[in-house]
Amino acid sequence: MKIADMNWMQVEAYLRGDDRCVVPIGSTEQHAQLSLCVDAILAERVAVEAAEPLGTPVFPVMPYGLAPYFIAFPGTVSLRVETLLAVMRDVIASVRHAGFRRVLIVNGHGGNAPVGALAQELMAKYTDMSIKFHNWWSAPRTWAEVQAIDTSGSHANWMENFPWTRLANVSHPEGPKAPPDRELMRVSPPEEARRLLGDGSFGGNYQKPDEAMLKVWEAGVLETRELLEGPWPGTR
């Protein structure tokens, strides 16, 4: 259930019997013809669908992350590393103060990897907490589904093209795009990275059949739910 659909009294009542919650984090950045909020949309949706049968509260998605390499694309928002880590420190401190002790961070953006290291640091500080950091798209079974469809799955191509990340009345190019020089892109300033990327996709096909994409999605939801179910240390 979404925290947005609860009041504080309902959260207090929930915490009498369970101390799990989910905190999704994403990014607002270019995704070629797809929504700028792909990473936030997917992180929140997979978290909500995974948590729903368990009745576990899901906090609103953190919509901004680390995306300095895309900042030359209009609409992209990139936090400083210290800003994102400071926000996540405060979020974890707040949910702990409320009574949550088992936290699943569902991440939708590869650039947010430093939050995984922060989770380890915070568990050394808050020894009564267990925090899991989960890149939902690269979990073993989910990634296996992606690879079974096409090994080209990557940023802003078919791998992120779901019915809920597409924009109405926006078409996608036909056929595959040649992959850019990603190694060169990684060592280039934002304006040059934009030139190398063109529309922003990392290459390959722009779209695959929805039936195939739903298999990826189902695997992602199930693996996220399994992490939420446990095992957790000190389960009460």
Side-chain angles (χ1 to χ4, degrees), residues 61-84:
V61 66
M62 171 62 175
Y64 305 122
L66 309 178
Y69 31 80
F70 292 148
I71 202 67
F73 291 87
T76 294
V77 174
S78 183
L79 302 181
R80 291 175 296 171
V81 174
E82 58 266 33
T83 302
L84 178 61

Side-chain angles (χ1 to χ4, degrees), residues 182-200:
R182 291 170 63 175
E183 292 303 316
L184 182 58
M185 188 199 80
R186 288 190 182 98
V187 296
S188 299
E191 292 293 343
E192 178 62 11
R194 175 176 171 173
R195 187 191 69 78
L196 291 168
L197 281 173
D199 66 1

Side-chain angles (χ1 to χ4, degrees), residues 81-200:
V81 174
E82 58 266 33
T83 302
L84 178 61
L85 296 184
V87 169
M88 294 307 296
R89 284 180 190 277
D90 289 350
V91 170
I92 297 301
S94 295
V95 300
R96 179 178 178 273
H97 189 80
F100 293 101
R101 293 294 182 270
R102 292 176 290 168
V103 180
L104 174 61
I105 299 173
V106 175
N107 179 41
H109 172 55
N112 291 340
V115 176
L118 177 67
Q120 295 292 318
E121 178 185 322
L122 291 177
M123 284 190 289
K125 177 180 180 180
Y126 302 131
T127 57
D128 58 347
M129 291 194 78
S130 180
I131 306 170
K132 296 179 180 180
F133 180 79
H134 177 50
N135 293 318
W136 78 267
W137 75 93
S138 63
R141 293 200 304 279
T142 304
W143 187 244
E145 289 288 353
V146 169
Q147 294 296 289
I149 296 169
D150 188 333
T151 57
S152 72
S154 190
H155 175 79
N157 72 3
W158 66 268
M159 192 180 84
E160 299 188 294
N161 190 332
F162 292 91
W164 41 88
T165 56
R166 295 175 204 144
L167 300 175
N169 303 316
V170 175
S171 60
H172 299 273
E174 295 292 330
K177 173 187 174 181
D181 187 335
R182 291 170 63 175
E183 292 303 316
L184 182 58
M185 188 199 80
R186 288 190 182 98
V187 296
S188 299
E191 292 293 343
E192 178 62 11
R194 175 176 171 173
R195 187 191 69 78
L196 291 168
L197 281 173
D199 66 1

